[in-house]
Amino acid sequence: MNSRQETGSTRLDDAARAGWLYYVAGNTQDQIAAKLGISRQTAQRLVSLAMSEGLIKVRVDHPIANCLDLAARLKSRFALDLVEVVPSDPTSSSTTIGIAEAAAAEIERRLRSEAPIVMAIGTGRTLKAAIEQLPPMDCPQHKVVSLTGNISPDGSAAFYNVIFTMADRVKARSFPMPLPVIASSPEEREMLLNQPMIQPTLALAAEADVTFVGIGDLGPKAPLYEDGFISESELKALQKAGGIAEIVGWVFDREGRMIEGITNDRVSSAALPSREKSLVIALAMGERKLPGILAAVNRRLVNGLITDERTAEALLAG
């Protein structure tokens, strides 16, 4: 590649980054200028260039070189089957911006397939944000199955269980899990999972071709705790046992090993589908989630990852 081509490619990279900050992250041109260390006029020109070059179609449609490089390195380092890295907003603390849009694009791509598939979905804020990005779709050939129960401890619908949100947008056969997220005892869990109406849903989840899950941290503001599924004493017990994160309620340690007992023997979620025969994609970013993401990819609890630049760089440095 000659210097003129390199300059053109770099300028498109800059335009794509500016376009992402403007259209996806919602920054003003003054904020973009400050974050990229350029003048407001240059920021304005880059945003205009992103539009004129056809890079903007709801989401940025030009692969940013650094994101591609990080994705390739993550894929090689952790033997992952799918990796997508999106740009980072340098000053944002959001754990959904960018990856929700990327996940929505990947989900939509899978659902556009004419061949029937089984798609399993977890729960959580990032996945809910992704599902809300989906356009209306008519794909009756597919089946969408929830990995988690959808009933909160007070009997209400679990707010971040996304199977019903998805059913509003995607006309496919939906299979919810009409169970509490965490049962009151191991015996109750066993009884519930053995119900005739639940067994086919569990079997379908095990056959999923592709699965999308979030990763919840187990810090002081752990989603399981903040959403009322576990008590403060249970959270502290899980932390003391080495728990650092969870996927669909299953808590694991820094080595990616499941914690024995405490709440794990009461989780009514389906087991994660096979990573050898299917694709299990985690949507996760941010410092709080970093130990859990690292454990999940190291232990191959997941074999796909959608994350952002900062998180990708931290994973590779770890």
Side-chain angles (χ1 to χ4, degrees):
M1 182 182 290
N2 62 39
S3 60
R4 179 173 295 179
Q5 288 174 315
E6 288 176 353
T7 301
S9 177
T10 300
R11 188 155 182 79
L12 282 181
D13 271 1
D14 292 341
R17 189 178 295 276
W20 184 89
L21 286 169
Y22 187 79
Y23 290 101
V24 178
N27 286 260
T28 66
Q29 291 177 0
D30 284 331
Q31 289 171 321
I32 294 169
K35 290 175 180 180
L36 298 185
I38 56 179
S39 69
R40 186 184 186 281
Q41 290 75 19
T42 300
Q44 185 177 19
R45 285 196 294 270
L46 287 174
V47 171
S48 297
L49 179 63
M51 181 61 74
S52 65
E53 290 293 325
L55 308 184
I56 305 298
K57 298 173 185 173
V58 179
R59 50 188 176 263
V60 177
D61 202 33
H62 175 77
I64 295 174
N66 189 51
C67 292
L68 290 176
D69 177 63
L70 288 169
R73 289 165 61 196
L74 282 174
K75 193 172 184 180
S76 174
R77 170 85 167 268
F78 298 105
L80 296 169
D81 298 317
L82 179 147
V83 179
E84 182 165 355
V85 176
V86 304
S88 294
D89 179 343
T91 61
S92 174
S93 60
S94 171
T95 58
T96 64
I97 286 180
I99 63 171
E101 289 79 4
E106 184 65 23
I107 292 170
E108 181 181 348
R109 186 177 73 81
R110 302 276 172 173
L111 292 175
R112 294 286 181 199
S113 166
E114 293 184 4
I117 65 168
V118 176
M119 179 181 291
I121 55 173
T123 187
R125 291 152 176 77
T126 308
L127 194 52
K128 189 172 192 295
I131 299 303
E132 289 172 347
Q133 299 277 340
L134 290 175
M137 299 180 70
D138 188 15
C139 40
Q141 71 274 30
H142 302 318
K143 296 176 181 178
V144 181
V145 58
S146 177
L147 291 179
T148 65
N150 54 34
I151 302 174
S152 295
D154 64 0
S156 63
F159 184 73
Y160 292 106
N161 187 287
V162 299
I163 188 73
F164 299 115
T165 307
M166 192 161 184
D168 287 341
R169 287 166 167 74
V170 178
K171 303 310 176 189
R173 292 190 66 191
S174 297
F175 296 81
M177 194 87 76
L179 298 173
V181 176
I182 298 179
S184 61
S185 69
E187 293 75 22
E188 181 186 66
R189 172 186 179 272
E190 193 70 19
M191 181 270 292
L192 291 169
L193 293 181
N194 282 319
Q195 294 297 311
M197 67 178 295
I198 300 299
Q199 285 291 305
T201 304
L202 291 173
L204 187 64
E207 297 171 4
D209 299 292
V210 62
T211 300
F212 294 88
V213 296
I215 296 178
D217 72 279
L218 225 64
K221 294 186 177 181
L224 280 180
Y225 171 62
E226 288 213 321
D227 296 342
F229 297 118
I230 63 175
S231 66
E232 184 177 6
S233 61
E234 288 170 331
L235 174 61
K236 289 180 177 177
L238 288 165
Q239 292 170 339
K240 187 176 180 180
I244 58 159
E246 52 86 14
I247 297 177
V248 295
W250 299 110
V251 177
F252 53 92
D253 65 14
R254 289 184 180 277
E255 303 300 321
R257 296 172 301 203
M258 294 295 165
I259 300 298
E260 292 186 13
I262 310 177
T263 58
N264 270 0
D265 59 4
R266 295 187 283 119
V267 173
S268 60
S269 300
L272 289 172
S274 168
R275 277 75 72 198
E276 304 309 315
K277 297 186 292 184
S278 68
L279 191 56
V280 179
I281 304 169
L283 329 175
M285 63 184 272
E287 187 177 351
R288 286 192 293 115
K289 297 189 178 190
L290 185 60
I293 301 170
L294 186 59
V297 296
N298 267 326
R299 193 74 173 188
R300 206 172 169 80
L301 299 179
V302 300
N303 57 355
L305 178 64
I306 297 176
T307 192
D308 75 320
E309 284 176 297
R310 282 183 298 189
T311 307
E313 288 166 352
L315 288 169
L316 290 165

